Amino acid sequence: YISVTGVQTCALPILNNPDLFSAAAILSAAPVELDALDENAVRESDHPFLRRLWGMAENAGGWARFRDSDENVWRLMNDRRHDLPRLLFASGEEDELVRDDLRRFRAHAEATGIPATFFEIPNLGHEWRFWDQAIERALPFLFGNADD
């Protein structure tokens, strides 16, 4: 399974059906630690990503329901870490949309034993040049031909 999209879209099939996948590559997306975010700060933010999160929370019936729902990929990955397939996360080193969240998730995954491999490609952001290179690196991982 390979996905270049929002983390909910790419991770939920894996989290809900881990027995169907032997590996997954998640490119330019990162779980967000919703429990660490302040509801009021998210609601009042002008940042496009946080505006999107707030819209998702409204659609779920409020911040608490959203945070406790299956949209909370960080929590689901943590809770289901023993059932997950091998995961590969990657971003461009200059990808301001996901880089910091992915670095936080990497530290969490390494500390808690979530079966994930991570890499960043220098000098690239949220762009086609990154995805072209990342897909080339992800394919051996997905087909079991690399330790990456």
Side-chain angles (χ1 to χ4, degrees), residues 103-136:
R103 288 175 180 171
R104 274 190 291 281
F105 183 70
R106 179 181 189 162
H108 174 73
E110 290 171 350
T112 60
I114 293 172
T117 299
F118 298 83
F119 71 83
E120 292 181 7
I121 297 179
N123 305 313
L124 295 179
H126 203 82
E127 60 185 288
W128 282 111
R129 292 182 309 146
F130 163 77
W131 296 312
D132 286 343
Q133 292 179 38
I135 289 169
E136 284 185 32

Side-chain angles (χ1 to χ4, degrees), residues 6-27:
V7 75
Q8 281 82 5
T9 304
C10 62
L12 290 177
I14 300 158
L15 291 167
N16 292 325
N17 304 286
D19 54 315
L20 299 179
F21 302 95
S22 61
I26 300 163
L27 311 178

Side-chain angles (χ1 to χ4, degrees), residues 23-142:
I26 300 163
L27 311 178
S28 294
V32 175
E33 187 177 12
L34 297 178
D35 294 333
L37 296 177
D38 177 71
E39 175 182 356
N40 292 325
V42 174
R43 181 186 320 114
E44 296 168 9
S45 177
D46 290 330
H47 189 279
F49 177 73
L50 294 178
R51 296 295 325 141
R52 182 173 150 246
L53 273 184
W54 185 251
M56 293 169 71
E58 287 181 323
N59 289 338
W63 184 255
R65 288 186 72 179
F66 175 61
R67 188 190 61 229
D68 296 338
S69 76
D70 282 351
E71 294 289 328
N72 190 339
V73 172
W74 181 294
R75 181 183 50 80
L76 290 176
M77 285 199 176
N78 190 56
D79 293 349
R80 300 175 185 175
R81 69 181 165 269
H82 301 295
D83 299 321
L84 295 174
R86 293 178 306 112
L87 301 173
L88 175 69
F89 287 89
S91 76
E93 193 176 70
E94 305 300 321
D95 188 340
E96 294 179 3
L97 295 172
V98 301
R99 177 194 59 219
D100 295 339
D101 286 323
L102 191 53
R103 288 175 180 171
R104 274 190 291 281
F105 183 70
R106 179 181 189 162
H108 174 73
E110 290 171 350
T112 60
I114 293 172
T117 299
F118 298 83
F119 71 83
E120 292 181 7
I121 297 179
N123 305 313
L124 295 179
H126 203 82
E127 60 185 288
W128 282 111
R129 292 182 309 146
F130 163 77
W131 296 312
D132 286 343
Q133 292 179 38
I135 289 169
E136 284 185 32
R137 287 185 62 180
L139 290 175
F141 175 87
L142 292 171

